[in-house]
Amino acid sequence: MMRRIFLLVICLSVTCLFGCKEKGGQENTSSTPVATDSAKVDSVAAPKVATADSATLMNLAKEILQFAEKKDFGKIADYIHPTAGIRFSPYAYVDTAEHKHFTADAFRVQATTDAKKKVLWGTYDPIGDDIKVTVEAYFKEFGYDKNYLGEGQFGFNETMGGGTVINNTEEIYPGLPRVETYWAPKDEEKAPYEWGTIRLVFKEHEGKFYLVAWIHDAWNT
């Protein structure tokens, strides 16, 4: 009898010993990935990408608009995207086939050396006549046609103003940050017809943001 009890105690002890070891040392068979040292190193070593900070881009937009207000158009070329260039759209609907596109260098030449030469920017809506004017004339009518800096409201990734023309900015420039400025007359009766909006769209390049689109919006028949 004592021998049986002794053998039973030994068996229970061995079973407990191996069971506890298996429970504490078993491999992780879960499908959840486990972070490794190499993963941590890769994360730390990843290059930093500029973020679309609203305050930074707001200030950048106002800096650019100052050159438009002063008619120092050549300076705007310094803010144009080095590889993507910039497109100027006289209306809310961005027409990639018709609206004028410049590289930074081409716009600088057009705004300085060739300042008196006319260029085709698109067509007047709805009559269809060519918008063939100098850089200064274009900005007077479409690029900086209101006192945006002095009296305009500013928004980040926010649509400000809108008329009968379809606004396809987000479709043409998906995911890109933009700064908009909206101006309206103090006369409430004129406000529905004389408002104006400028949309400046930015794209990152080597840690900095540059202009890729200058879009004008206003009431249109």
Side-chain angles (χ1 to χ4, degrees), residues 50 80-84 203-210:
I80 295 175
H81 198 282
T83 57
K203 185 177 181 181
E204 186 268 341
H205 177 74
E206 296 182 353
K208 293 178 63 178
F209 280 94
Y210 295 87

Short mmCIF file of all heavy atoms in Angstrom, two decimals, residues 50 80-84 203-210:
data_model
loop_
_atom_site.label_atom_id
_atom_site.label_comp_id
_atom_site.label_asym_id
_atom_site.label_seq_id
_atom_site.Cartn_x
_atom_site.Cartn_y
_atom_site.Cartn_z
N ALA A 50 8.07 65.91 -44.47
CA ALA A 50 7.43 67.13 -43.99
C ALA A 50 5.92 66.92 -43.85
O ALA A 50 5.30 66.27 -44.68
CB ALA A 50 7.70 68.27 -44.97
N ILE A 80 7.44 77.73 -56.64
CA ILE A 80 6.84 76.73 -57.53
C ILE A 80 7.56 75.40 -57.39
O ILE A 80 8.78 75.35 -57.28
CB ILE A 80 6.86 77.23 -58.98
CG1 ILE A 80 5.97 78.48 -59.11
CG2 ILE A 80 6.39 76.15 -59.93
CD1 ILE A 80 6.02 79.12 -60.50
N HIS A 81 6.81 74.32 -57.41
CA HIS A 81 7.37 72.97 -57.23
C HIS A 81 8.45 72.68 -58.27
O HIS A 81 8.24 72.87 -59.48
CB HIS A 81 6.25 71.93 -57.35
CG HIS A 81 6.60 70.61 -56.78
ND1 HIS A 81 7.40 69.70 -57.43
CD2 HIS A 81 6.28 70.04 -55.57
CE1 HIS A 81 7.53 68.61 -56.68
NE2 HIS A 81 6.87 68.80 -55.55
N PRO A 82 9.63 72.24 -57.83
CA PRO A 82 10.78 72.04 -58.74
C PRO A 82 10.56 71.01 -59.83
O PRO A 82 11.16 71.11 -60.91
CB PRO A 82 11.90 71.59 -57.79
CG PRO A 82 11.49 72.07 -56.44
CD PRO A 82 10.00 71.99 -56.44
N THR A 83 9.74 69.99 -59.59
CA THR A 83 9.53 68.95 -60.60
C THR A 83 8.11 68.95 -61.17
O THR A 83 7.92 68.68 -62.35
CB THR A 83 9.84 67.56 -60.01
OG1 THR A 83 8.99 67.34 -58.85
CG2 THR A 83 11.30 67.46 -59.59
N ALA A 84 7.12 69.24 -60.34
CA ALA A 84 5.72 69.21 -60.80
C ALA A 84 5.31 70.50 -61.49
O ALA A 84 4.36 70.50 -62.28
CB ALA A 84 4.79 68.93 -59.62
N LYS A 203 2.55 70.86 -52.62
CA LYS A 203 3.05 69.48 -52.66
C LYS A 203 4.46 69.46 -52.11
O LYS A 203 5.26 70.36 -52.37
CB LYS A 203 3.04 68.95 -54.11
CG LYS A 203 3.43 67.48 -54.22
CD LYS A 203 3.33 67.00 -55.67
CE LYS A 203 3.69 65.54 -55.79
NZ LYS A 203 3.61 65.07 -57.20
N GLU A 204 4.77 68.40 -51.35
CA GLU A 204 6.07 68.29 -50.69
C GLU A 204 7.17 67.88 -51.66
O GLU A 204 6.95 67.10 -52.59
CB GLU A 204 5.97 67.29 -49.54
CG GLU A 204 7.21 67.19 -48.68
CD GLU A 204 8.17 66.11 -49.16
OE1 GLU A 204 7.72 65.22 -49.91
OE2 GLU A 204 9.36 66.15 -48.81
N HIS A 205 8.37 68.41 -51.46
CA HIS A 205 9.55 68.02 -52.22
C HIS A 205 10.78 68.19 -51.34
O HIS A 205 11.10 69.32 -50.93
CB HIS A 205 9.69 68.87 -53.49
CG HIS A 205 10.93 68.56 -54.29
ND1 HIS A 205 11.05 67.42 -55.06
CD2 HIS A 205 12.10 69.25 -54.42
CE1 HIS A 205 12.25 67.43 -55.64
NE2 HIS A 205 12.90 68.51 -55.25
N GLU A 206 11.42 67.08 -51.01
CA GLU A 206 12.64 67.08 -50.21
C GLU A 206 12.47 67.88 -48.91
O GLU A 206 13.30 68.71 -48.55
CB GLU A 206 13.82 67.62 -51.03
CG GLU A 206 14.16 66.73 -52.22
CD GLU A 206 15.37 67.24 -53.00
OE1 GLU A 206 15.87 68.34 -52.69
OE2 GLU A 206 15.82 66.51 -53.89
N GLY A 207 11.35 67.62 -48.24
CA GLY A 207 11.13 68.21 -46.93
C GLY A 207 10.52 69.59 -46.91
O GLY A 207 10.30 70.16 -45.85
N LYS A 208 10.20 70.15 -48.10
CA LYS A 208 9.59 71.48 -48.16
C LYS A 208 8.34 71.42 -49.03
O LYS A 208 8.21 70.55 -49.89
CB LYS A 208 10.58 72.50 -48.74
CG LYS A 208 11.78 72.78 -47.86
CD LYS A 208 12.73 73.77 -48.54
CE LYS A 208 12.07 75.11 -48.78
NZ LYS A 208 13.02 76.08 -49.40
N PHE A 209 7.44 72.36 -48.80
CA PHE A 209 6.23 72.42 -49.60
C PHE A 209 6.32 73.53 -50.64
O PHE A 209 6.82 74.63 -50.35
CB PHE A 209 5.01 72.64 -48.71
CG PHE A 209 4.53 71.38 -48.04
CD1 PHE A 209 4.97 71.06 -46.76
CD2 PHE A 209 3.67 70.51 -48.70
CE1 PHE A 209 4.55 69.89 -46.15
CE2 PHE A 209 3.25 69.34 -48.09
CZ PHE A 209 3.69 69.03 -46.81
N TYR A 210 5.85 73.20 -51.86
CA TYR A 210 5.88 74.14 -52.98
C TYR A 210 4.51 74.20 -53.65
O TYR A 210 3.70 73.28 -53.54
CB TYR A 210 6.92 73.69 -54.01
CG TYR A 210 8.35 73.71 -53.54
CD1 TYR A 210 8.90 72.62 -52.90
CD2 TYR A 210 9.17 74.83 -53.77
CE1 TYR A 210 10.22 72.63 -52.47
CE2 TYR A 210 10.49 74.85 -53.36
CZ TYR A 210 11.01 73.74 -52.71
OH TYR A 210 12.33 73.75 -52.29
#
